[in-house]
Amino acid sequence: MDLEIFTRKMDSVIRRYRTIYDLLEFLAIALIILLIAVYFNLDEVFKLIPWTEPYVGLSPDIPLFTINYETIFLFFIVCLFSLLILEVIDRSRGRIYKLLKRTPPKRQKSQDLVEETYPELKDRLKTAYDNRDSDNFIAAELRTSVAQDIEGVASTDLIDKKRVAYSLGAIIVAGLFLTAIFFTGYTSSFSPGDVWDRFPNGSITQPPVDENTSSNNSSSIPTEAPPISSSPGVDIDVTLPPGAGMGPGDMLEGSESNFTPSQPYAPESLSSQHFYDTLPAGYEDVIKEYFKKLAENS
């Protein structure tokens, strides 16, 4: 096999494997965050947000599938946090290894991984690749022997089995706990509303009443009935007039009333006599003709 073709092939395989590693780690982190969110009922936080509260309990019209809006919001936030955590871990990988007092792994090239996996190719593969255009007899012999050895290289042997095992283990454990919560409904008694109640609810508090303000407004807005003053030797009538205490509610409850509905009358009988007394002679027909044409035009 040609060394240059083999190297390009291994580079493509390594890039594909690294993408799989990132996807597995993203899924593992997302399931762990989702497990925490479901166990502590964090989806109830959307009831406290004004622009998401109207959608709580509703679901979009999706054929053969039902999912609540709060679940969609929760998945979106979980994915966002998972991406952020994955990016922070990738940037801080060296610091994490230093805290654990371990040497961080280097980002190896495909040739380094092949030589590490197959000790018989140690230092021979890179040397042969670097001298692939050389006409030297020794370099030609090296290229020939290396080309025969790389025929037995399997791309599956280059997989980082520990990294895949850790990610799959986290995915399986988180998935099992989520399945148990789904079927049993067992969650924590904690609710985001418990924390929200400890903060001010935003209600408007009344300002303290100033003595001068209250005295100035007391004349315009009475707050209690005025007292009844009396003089010695003077009798005051405090009896209620007839019909007091009778309101519209008493009439609606079926109490009797002397009310007599009005009867229809001809419009001429209801006209004001003052209208005819002040109107000059001959203007009555003119006004009637005016309103008649006005009604026809409308």
Side-chain angles (χ1 to χ4, degrees):
M1 180 181 293
D2 185 79
L3 294 179
E4 191 168 356
I5 296 176
F6 174 79
T7 301
R8 288 201 300 266
K9 178 182 177 182
M10 290 298 105
D11 288 341
S12 176
V13 169
I14 296 303
R15 286 195 298 270
R16 191 181 308 120
Y17 286 162
R18 285 171 179 165
T19 303
I20 295 175
Y21 301 152
D22 293 338
L23 289 176
L24 289 176
E25 290 174 355
F26 168 77
L27 185 58
I29 295 173
L31 286 177
I32 292 174
I33 297 177
L34 183 62
L35 174 62
I36 296 173
V38 171
Y39 181 74
F40 289 103
N41 304 307
L42 297 185
D43 57 335
E44 296 184 5
V45 74
F46 299 110
K47 298 179 181 178
L48 308 175
I49 303 176
W51 61 273
T52 58
E53 190 272 337
Y55 297 95
V56 174
L58 303 178
S59 59
D61 295 333
I62 303 177
L64 304 177
F65 188 72
T66 302
I67 184 172
N68 294 333
Y69 279 108
E70 57 265 31
T71 306
I72 298 176
F73 297 153
L74 185 62
F75 281 156
F76 176 77
I77 293 177
V78 166
C79 292
L80 180 62
F81 271 95
S82 301
L83 289 174
L84 291 176
I85 292 174
L86 193 62
E87 182 66 20
V88 170
I89 291 176
D90 186 64
R91 292 178 177 272
S92 306
R93 194 180 297 272
R95 296 180 181 178
I96 294 174
Y97 275 92
K98 285 184 179 180
L99 292 176
L100 299 176
K101 297 181 178 180
R102 296 180 58 184
T103 303
K106 297 181 180 179
R107 193 177 182 88
Q108 295 176 312
K109 297 181 179 180
S110 60
Q111 293 178 352
D112 296 328
L113 289 174
V114 172
E115 289 184 353
E116 183 179 336
T117 307
Y118 296 90
E120 63 272 16
L121 292 173
K122 183 68 174 177
D123 295 331
R124 296 174 61 235
L125 177 60
K126 289 188 292 185
T127 304
Y129 181 80
D130 293 338
N131 295 277
R132 62 186 180 278
D133 297 328
S134 177
D135 295 334
N136 190 345
F137 174 76
I138 298 176
E141 286 292 330
L142 179 62
R143 291 196 300 269
T144 302
S145 61
V146 169
Q148 293 176 353
D149 292 337
I150 62 178
E151 293 290 342
V153 174
S155 59
T156 55
D157 295 335
L158 304 180
I159 298 177
D160 191 346
K161 296 179 177 60
K162 288 185 178 180
R163 191 171 179 180
V164 173
Y166 291 150
S167 300
L168 288 177
I171 291 171
I172 292 173
V173 172
L176 289 175
F177 276 103
L178 282 172
T179 304
I181 292 176
F182 176 77
F183 283 103
T184 62
Y186 178 77
T187 57
S188 173
S189 59
F190 172 81
S191 176
D194 300 336
V195 179
W196 186 264
D197 293 339
R198 297 178 181 273
F199 293 92
N201 56 6
S203 59
I204 301 176
T205 56
Q206 296 295 335
V209 180
D210 185 65
E211 294 181 357
N212 297 329
T213 304
S214 60
S215 61
N216 294 334
N217 295 336
S218 60
S219 58
S220 59
I221 305 176
T223 57
E224 58 183 14
I228 300 176
S229 60
S230 61
S231 301
V234 178
D235 294 334
I236 299 176
D237 185 11
V238 294
T239 59
L240 296 176
M246 298 292 291
D250 299 327
M251 298 176 63
L252 293 175
E253 294 177 358
S255 58
E256 296 183 359
S257 175
N258 295 328
F259 173 75
T260 302
S262 60
Q263 299 296 330
Y265 294 95
E268 292 79 8
S269 62
L270 299 178
S271 301
S272 174
Q273 186 63 33
H274 179 72
F275 171 81
Y276 296 99
D277 294 339
T278 57
L279 186 66
Y283 272 76
E284 182 178 356
D285 296 333
V286 176
I287 294 176
K288 288 182 178 181
E289 185 67 17
Y290 168 77
F291 282 102
K292 182 178 179 181
K293 291 183 178 180
L294 184 64
E296 291 175 354
N297 294 332
S298 60

